[in-house]
Amino acid sequence: MNKRDSEALAACFAERGYSIQEKEQDADIILLNTCSVRDGAEHKAVGKMQMLIAQARLHKEKKIFGIMGCAAQVLGESLVHDLPGIHLVIGTHRYHRIPEYLEALLKDSSKVIVDCSGITEKPVSFQNHLLQRVSPNTIQASAFVNIMHGCNQYCTYCIVPYTRGHEFSRSIEEIVHECEALAKEGIKEIILLGQIVTNFGKREIHVSEDGKTPFVQLLDAIHEIEGIERIRFTAPHPKGYGDDLIESYQRLPKLCQSAHIPVQSGSNRILKEMHRGYTGEHFLEILSKLRNVQPSMGIATDIIVGFPGETDEDFQKTLELVRKARFDNAFLFKYSPREGTPAAKMPNQVPMRIKEERHAELMRVVNELSAEIFQQMIGKTVEVLVEGPSRRNPNRLQGRSRCNKIVLFEGDKDWIGTIRRFRITRSGQYSLYGEEVKN
Ligand code: SAH
Ligand code: SF4
């Protein structure tokens, strides 16, 4: 989501005659977009800004420094003290003022502007100027599209409802319009974005007569768009996987056979304390229904270890769930207390040493299981949307299979943006290697 916000802002600046620099040291204005979902992310952002300011000082360069995103929203005014040399601290609901503030700062760089207000206003990222995109100078295969903003779930560990505000959805018509324009530019894959996409339109749009939730109605509408060949979304909530969504995987050929469904814990007691609204059994039932309609479904998840009060027994339940779920991939986090959230004040906070032990143990199990799944892919033929050069080895290209696995292969640069078939020849830890299969 931050990536998409940054892209929109960059487009906004480009339109005003600014140019975008590849390297930080070449820029006159540096705006850092930040995350505060865990303490580590917040520290990283502040540390990075300190380093950028120090570098500019060392080289006697006059630059304008701004910090945006959730860490700016949460830390606000205090960043002015922690970051001497910062010019702008801007909250998540004030992005529309950024160009104007930066222009004022270019004229007078002795000023410091802090604006973190307006968390309950209509989210500005849906105002027209913040829906812009930088016209790509390379071929792009897929595009992120924001469909909603904020979250009302208030999971007890999570800062997002406080940094991004209440849920607010765009209209289906507006989103379809944006996707149609992207399809005309040659985009083949749409990735729908939101903190809790399965709640899309919950307040604004009625469930249809045939029982389709607004989110499924949106999937149906995007599916109709000519030129769009793949649809993905992130992040859903398990409680949004009703039969209407599960059936979509059978009904809508463009909907990719992959889902990132955060489970967070395998212990029902902890799930309740987290305010997640489902049980481990319910979660596993969703997975089996999904695999029933699409056996090749790639399923990823997020898990938190060391939530306050998590006992060894609770942790064993998580291990058990992971073994049953057989995730293709899992993102594992050590619980990080976030000030202002209910869990931060709960008794029985788990010591860091235990969090680390549980994290390592869970990682071992997750990796073992996913290695098996990756191994089983060898010899199979998959459809891949070619994205661009591989990050590690620029002589190779990379793309994603419909089940969301990274596939690496040798090929021609003009394959980028096309859909091709590959036979998997070997597997790595997080990726597969393939050879093109010609029809
Ligand atoms: N809206 C999304 C993403 C939330 S943040 C969702 O509900 O899935 C992404 C992940 O960070 C979460 O799924 C959770 O696993 C993790 N996370 C959030 N708050 C955390 C915290 N305080 N400590 C550790 N991990 C956290
Ligand atoms: Fe945070 Fe996701 Fe829970 Fe919303 S659903 S409160 S974003 S973890």
Side-chain angles (χ1 to χ4, degrees):
M1 250 160 274
N2 270 359
K3 243 170 111 169
R4 175 68 193 105
D5 284 346
S6 299
E7 181 189 39
L9 263 172
C12 204
F13 278 104
E15 201 190 63
R16 286 166 182 252
Y18 292 79
S19 64
I20 300 157
Q21 298 301 309
E22 287 293 321
K23 294 192 189 120
E24 289 147 359
Q25 58 263 41
D26 298 334
D28 300 314
I29 299 173
I30 298 182
L31 198 54
L32 196 67
N33 201 352
T34 63
C35 171
S36 66
V37 86
R38 285 171 294 277
D39 194 48
E42 223 170 77
H43 270 104
K44 201 164 149 189
V46 174
K48 168 101 185 176
M49 191 42 108
Q50 274 165 342
M51 191 200 72
L52 290 168
I53 294 173
Q55 260 174 3
R57 285 222 174 103
L58 188 70
H59 296 108
K60 300 201 165 44
E61 289 164 339
K62 275 189 79 178
K63 289 182 194 286
I64 301 293
F65 293 102
I67 192 158
M68 60 187 276
C70 290
Q73 180 69 43
V74 170
L75 301 170
E77 192 79 43
S78 75
L79 284 174
V80 179
H81 305 284
D82 295 343
L83 292 169
I86 192 86
H87 297 97
L88 176 66
V89 179
I90 189 116
T92 51
H93 279 53
R94 309 300 288 169
Y95 294 169
H96 57 304
R97 305 288 302 267
I98 292 178
E100 164 200 340
Y101 287 153
L102 288 174
E103 259 145 42
L105 288 164
L106 281 171
K107 285 194 193 103
D108 177 4
S109 63
S110 67
K111 277 195 209 158
V112 179
I113 301 173
V114 179
D115 184 356
C116 299
S117 56
I119 195 80
T120 54
E121 280 173 30
K122 177 180 165 173
V124 289
S125 55
F126 297 152
Q127 292 179 8
N128 284 341
H129 66 287
L130 273 163
L131 288 169
Q132 297 179 18
R133 286 170 195 278
V134 185
S135 49
N137 46 15
T138 50
I139 300 159
Q140 247 185 309
S142 65
F144 290 123
V145 173
N146 258 318
I147 64 167
M148 66 179 305
H149 210 275
C151 181
N152 295 353
Q153 178 67 23
Y154 287 93
C155 299
T156 52
Y157 52 80
C158 184
I159 193 87
V160 170
Y162 309 92
T163 62
R164 293 279 171 169
H166 294 310
E167 279 169 29
F168 175 89
S169 298
R170 295 171 73 193
S171 71
I172 294 183
E173 200 185 354
E174 205 181 312
I175 298 165
V176 166
H177 195 71
E178 186 176 350
C179 295
E180 280 169 350
L182 289 165
K184 285 208 182 88
E185 281 170 29
I187 294 287
K188 297 221 165 58
E189 179 181 70
I190 296 287
I191 306 170
L192 304 174
L193 286 182
Q195 292 293 349
I196 184 158
V197 290
T198 39
N199 272 11
F200 169 79
K202 223 177 155 183
R203 274 149 218 87
E204 299 87 348
I205 304 165
H206 292 294
V207 172
S208 69
E209 274 174 19
D210 52 354
K212 286 181 189 152
T213 51
F215 181 59
V216 172
Q217 295 173 36
L218 175 68
L219 293 178
D220 279 0
I222 296 173
H223 198 268
E224 292 289 304
I225 302 172
E226 207 177 309
I228 298 299
E229 297 187 32
R230 287 180 168 199
I231 307 169
R232 295 184 192 283
F233 54 82
T234 192
H237 190 286
K239 67 179 188 181
Y241 281 82
D243 289 344
D244 63 328
L245 180 53
I246 288 167
E247 280 160 14
S248 309
Y249 284 92
Q250 202 162 33
R251 233 169 16 87
L252 306 175
K254 294 180 182 178
L255 186 59
C256 283
Q257 289 79 14
S258 78
H260 183 132
I261 322 176
V263 66
Q264 313 299 2
S265 170
S267 153
N268 291 343
R269 196 179 66 78
I270 295 293
L271 285 170
K272 195 158 183 217
E273 291 284 310
M274 287 177 161
H275 194 233
R276 288 294 290 176
Y278 54 85
T279 60
E281 292 76 22
H282 178 201
F283 183 87
L284 289 170
E285 196 185 311
I286 295 169
L287 300 200
S288 84
K289 279 187 182 172
L290 282 170
R291 285 172 171 145
N292 218 359
V293 295
Q294 280 295 349
S296 64
M297 196 84 185
I299 296 174
T301 198
D302 293 349
I303 302 172
I304 299 176
V305 295
F307 182 83
E310 185 187 72
T311 60
D312 261 333
E313 204 186 329
D314 293 316
F315 177 62
Q316 290 305 323
K317 296 240 166 73
T318 298
L319 286 174
E320 224 172 89
L321 181 135
V322 164
R323 288 205 176 92
K324 285 187 187 151
R326 303 187 65 82
F327 295 110
D328 295 68
N329 194 5
F331 298 88
L332 311 181
F333 306 107
K334 288 167 249 172
Y335 169 69
S336 166
R338 310 282 58 221
E339 205 182 312
T341 61
K345 294 191 284 290
M346 286 181 186
N348 304 321
Q349 296 283 328
V350 176
M352 191 42 116
R353 186 182 53 82
I354 296 185
K355 285 184 200 169
E356 275 165 4
E357 279 171 19
R358 289 181 184 163
H359 186 268
E361 188 174 351
L362 190 55
M363 183 76 93
R364 245 191 338 268
V365 175
V366 162
N367 284 347
E368 227 176 81
L369 291 167
S370 78
E372 273 175 34
I373 297 176
F374 275 62
Q375 279 281 325
Q376 285 162 5
M377 297 291 296
I378 298 173
K380 291 197 175 144
T381 297
V382 295
E383 182 209 281
V384 172
L385 173 57
V386 184
E387 288 171 357
S390 140
R391 259 188 244 160
R392 289 235 189 102
N393 177 353
N395 295 324
R396 260 196 207 118
L397 292 173
Q398 79 166 47
R400 266 165 214 274
S401 69
R402 294 182 63 88
C403 56
N404 209 23
K405 304 232 173 10
I406 293 175
V407 182
L408 301 159
F409 44 87
E410 272 160 30
D412 209 276
K413 287 260 182 320
D414 55 294
W415 289 8
I416 299 172
T418 64
I419 291 176
R420 289 165 183 269
R421 281 150 47 83
F422 292 85
R423 198 183 51 252
I424 303 304
T425 52
R426 66 188 168 99
S427 72
Q429 174 86 54
Y430 300 110
S431 49
L432 298 167
Y433 295 82
E435 276 170 4
E436 204 204 9
V437 178
K438 297 212 172 71
N439 289 330

